[in-house]
Amino acid sequence: MHMLRTSLLSALLAILLSGSASADILATDTCDLCIMFGGTLKEDTYPEYDHIPEEMLPKNLTCAELADIFSSAFPDGSDKMCYDAVIEFHYECCEFETSTSQCEQAVHSSLLGDDSDYSVDVVPLPLNGKQFNVGVGMEYFALTSIDIVAGTAEIFMSIQMTWNDERLRWDPNEFGGCFNTLFRASLDLELTNIWVPPFDLLNRDASLDSRFGSVTALCFFQGLERFPFDKLRCQFFFFSTASNIPIKYNIPRNLTFLGTGEDASEDEIRRYQEFSIVPEKSGIEGNEDSSLLTCTFVFKRSSRFYVLKIIIPTILFTFLTFGSFLLDQRVGERLGFGVSILLVIVAQAILTSDTLPVTRERLWINVLTQGSQYFSILVVVESVFVAYLRYGKTEGSDEKETKTKNRNSSSIETEGNIEESESFLDDQNGNSNSVSGKNKWGPDSSNDKEGSLLSNKTAPQQITGTTEKSGDRDSYNDKEVSLLSKVKQIQWTAEKIRSLDRWCFVLFLCSYLLFIIVLFAALNIFD
């Protein structure tokens, strides 16, 4: 077995090799515990095997009793189960002439020494073989980090690969009984001692050899539209970097997620994380020729923080702005109250934008914050409009009424003075206002009278023509009266302004409440 752990520059791979030499050893009549590896059985020794369930193997057995069980349970010494059982108790129940370190050193010198013809560049294809099979196993440990703005995800995971290399085999009887050893392995040809399948991450942000245990990939995140109730989906594409080598990767059925199931211990569960893996939606699959492996990881965000810090305050502050309608316009802080709350909502939107990428897709949280901002802006606009009606329109109409009253009173006083002066002159001269007979003013007085009469007759005609022209102009202006002019023509009293505030309060409150209900009901649309 060749065992490769991700991003390990100097990984030591445990290799369980079986070849022609070891096959000859295992081809015995019965399954023997020590003889097949050239050792002597330590009969009275009690090995430790607490990790094996008692229903599979009774507890507190000696090596001699274990040897009897194996020989009777596995009549054929070449059985793979016999080999697995033997190597479990090999070192505790068997005694050899040489130490394990001396045995493994001899194996390394024989297989990879100066006299060896082993090459790390040559694929160990079997005789007449057309493809090379590699078993792949993956274990997920934890999510290290997710950078949504940069579009990267870093996962701490392990990758195990198993393959058969016919060049790495030996007879344990010839080297002192050791049946496995460790070799240095790496994807870097300058660091490895044996051939390693060319296996790398296609959408990698950094090489697999950059850091132990962590894999950083460029992700095309899916599901961010529902932020902060989103489940992010990221895919890791593993492939063979050597296209000319016929390698088939035998993928596992499921990914192994450590510390996520119900059987996970308290020490294995990683707490205080923003994202958690969703095992039922994560998995691994391969293409037709199994040269590309796709690992799909789905992470669920912990939304409670964003609900308490962003969503609820934004909604409450927006409802609070509607309180401006309940304040009297004569209160000078009404406009400042609405503007202050609007600035708070804008500040929260700015803080939220730092955690989100700039994208053309519509995000749920952006719709909420922008809609709340628009409602708050309309509240401020209404306050400004009411202030104009209260102070600008009312004071202007009062000034016009005062000027009209003053003008009317002055004209009445002038007419009264003229009548008084005329009556005073008539009484003083002893003449009446009527004109009759000869006038003492002289012969030309009749001409003056006729001229005055003519002027009096023509004056009404001139006034009538002027009046007709002004009427046409007024009718033309009435056609161009805008909505704002009609609003200005309304006599805005204090009671009417208060009525407008009450209607706006009900309208804005119901509209925003409906907006929130529809937004939460349509949350699934943002998938």
Side-chain angles (χ1 to χ4, degrees):
M1 175 186 295
H2 299 281
M3 190 174 190
L4 177 61
R5 189 168 295 275
T6 305
S7 307
L8 183 58
L9 295 176
S10 59
L12 298 178
L13 304 182
I15 305 174
L16 303 178
L17 301 170
S18 61
S20 59
S22 41
D24 293 338
I25 296 175
L26 292 176
T28 56
D29 294 337
T30 58
C31 181
D32 189 87
L33 185 58
C34 296
I35 296 178
M36 62 175 58
F37 293 120
T40 303
L41 181 64
K42 296 186 288 185
E43 297 181 356
D44 298 332
T45 302
Y46 288 89
E48 296 181 1
Y49 52 95
D50 295 335
H51 59 283
I52 300 177
E54 187 173 359
E55 57 270 14
M56 296 180 60
L57 189 64
K59 300 295 183 182
N60 300 323
L61 296 178
T62 62
C63 292
E65 293 173 340
L66 290 173
D68 295 337
I69 292 176
F70 293 157
S71 60
S72 59
F74 308 108
D76 186 4
S78 61
D79 192 347
K80 180 65 169 56
M81 296 183 63
C82 170
Y83 180 79
D84 294 337
V86 167
I87 62 175
E88 181 70 30
F89 301 95
H90 176 70
Y91 289 107
E92 293 188 74
C93 293
C94 300
E95 185 176 0
F96 300 94
E97 298 180 357
T98 59
S99 63
T100 303
S101 59
Q102 293 176 346
C103 178
E104 293 184 7
Q105 179 63 40
V107 171
H108 276 251
S109 300
S110 175
L111 299 179
L112 304 177
D114 296 336
D115 298 335
S116 174
D117 57 355
Y118 188 90
S119 176
V120 296
D121 300 321
V122 179
V123 182
L125 282 172
L127 183 63
N128 299 324
K130 296 182 179 180
Q131 69 178 9
F132 191 73
N133 295 323
V134 178
V136 179
M138 295 185 179
E139 291 182 349
Y140 169 88
F141 289 98
L143 174 68
T144 306
S145 65
I146 283 184
D147 192 341
I148 298 177
V149 178
T152 60
E154 185 178 6
I155 297 177
F156 192 90
M157 61 183 300
S158 68
I159 302 175
Q160 300 89 29
M161 292 191 296
T162 59
W163 67 94
N164 291 325
D165 193 338
E166 296 292 339
R167 299 169 297 177
L168 299 176
R169 63 178 183 177
W170 68 93
D171 186 353
N173 288 319
E174 296 179 0
F175 294 93
C178 55
F179 56 88
N180 63 353
T181 186
L182 302 176
F183 292 99
R184 187 183 300 272
S186 174
L187 295 175
D188 191 348
L189 296 179
E190 297 181 357
L191 300 176
T192 185
N193 290 334
I194 61 174
W195 179 86
V196 177
F199 191 73
D200 204 350
L201 184 63
L202 180 61
N203 57 328
R204 60 186 176 89
D205 183 60
S207 175
L208 289 179
D209 289 334
S210 63
R211 187 178 177 187
F212 171 74
S214 64
V215 181
T216 304
L218 297 172
C219 297
F220 301 98
F221 288 117
Q222 299 178 10
L224 187 61
E225 293 81 4
R226 290 165 51 94
F227 180 92
F229 306 101
D230 54 333
K231 293 181 180 180
L232 294 181
R233 182 172 177 264
C234 179
Q235 291 182 323
F236 285 58
F237 301 100
F238 296 94
F239 74 114
S240 175
T241 56
S243 58
N244 58 338
I245 302 176
I247 298 178
K248 180 181 179 181
Y249 293 97
N250 300 320
I251 61 174
R253 294 182 178 179
N254 297 309
L255 282 172
T256 302
F257 301 95
L258 301 181
T260 57
E262 298 180 355
D263 298 335
S265 62
E266 292 294 330
D267 297 335
E268 293 178 349
I269 300 176
R270 193 177 186 188
R271 304 180 184 277
Y272 311 110
Q273 299 295 311
E274 181 179 359
F275 292 92
S276 58
I277 190 71
V278 184
E280 57 271 15
K281 293 188 177 181
S282 303
I284 183 173
E285 59 182 4
N287 57 355
E288 295 180 357
D289 57 355
S290 299
S291 60
L292 178 66
L293 303 182
T294 303
C295 294
T296 302
F297 298 98
V298 178
F299 303 99
K300 182 180 180 180
R301 187 190 303 270
S302 299
S303 59
R304 180 180 299 178
F305 171 81
Y306 298 96
V307 170
L308 297 179
K309 298 297 182 180
I310 297 178
I311 296 178
I312 292 180
T314 300
I315 296 175
L316 293 181
F317 277 122
T318 305
F319 278 118
L320 194 59
T321 56
F322 302 154
S324 299
F325 300 128
L326 304 179
L327 300 178
D328 195 293
Q329 188 59 47
R330 291 172 294 181
V331 179
E333 292 78 8
R334 170 173 172 169
L335 187 60
F337 174 76
V339 173
S340 300
I341 297 181
L342 176 60
L343 292 178
V344 172
I345 297 176
V346 172
Q348 285 188 333
I350 294 175
L351 294 176
T352 306
S353 62
D354 293 338
T355 61
L356 298 174
V358 179
T359 176
R360 65 180 181 180
E361 285 78 14
R362 183 178 58 179
L363 305 183
W364 185 89
I365 190 67
N366 289 341
V367 176
L368 174 65
T369 55
Q370 290 176 1
S372 301
Q373 290 178 21
Y374 294 152
F375 273 95
S376 301
I377 291 173
L378 290 177
V379 171
V380 175
V381 171
E382 195 272 347
S383 299
V384 174
F385 178 69
V386 169
Y388 166 75
L389 296 179
R390 177 65 180 86
Y391 296 104
K393 185 69 174 65
T394 305
E395 291 180 358
S397 61
D398 293 341
E399 292 177 358
K400 290 181 180 179
E401 291 177 359
T402 303
K403 291 180 180 180
T404 304
K405 291 179 180 179
N406 294 334
R407 189 182 300 110
N408 294 334
S409 61
S410 62
S411 62
I412 293 172
E413 291 177 357
T414 304
E415 292 177 357
N417 293 333
I418 294 173
E419 292 177 355
E420 290 177 358
S421 61
E422 289 179 354
S423 63
F424 175 75
L425 291 174
D426 293 339
D427 294 340
Q428 193 176 22
N429 295 328
N431 298 327
S432 61
N433 291 332
S434 61
V435 178
S436 61
K438 294 182 181 179
N439 200 320
K440 63 181 180 179
W441 295 102
D444 296 334
S445 60
S446 60
N447 296 331
D448 295 338
K449 290 179 180 180
E450 292 177 358
S452 61
L453 291 173
L454 292 173
S455 62
N456 291 333
K457 291 180 180 180
T458 57
Q461 296 177 358
Q462 294 176 357
I463 294 173
T464 303
T466 305
T467 304
E468 292 176 356
K469 292 180 180 180
S470 61
D472 295 338
R473 189 182 302 109
D474 292 339
S475 62
Y476 176 76
N477 292 334
D478 290 341
K479 296 178 181 179
E480 296 182 350
V481 174
S482 62
L483 179 61
L484 182 60
S485 300
K486 292 181 179 180
V487 173
K488 289 182 179 180
Q489 291 176 2
I490 300 175
Q491 297 298 325
W492 288 99
T493 61
E495 182 60 30
K496 289 184 178 180
I497 293 176
R498 285 194 293 270
S499 178
L500 177 62
D501 283 339
R502 287 193 293 268
W503 277 105
C504 289
F505 174 76
V506 175
L507 179 62
F508 276 65
L509 184 64
C510 296
S511 300
Y512 186 70
L513 184 61
L514 180 62
F515 168 75
I516 295 299
I517 294 175
V518 172
L519 191 60
F520 276 93
L523 188 61
N524 294 329
I525 299 178
F526 289 84
D527 284 339

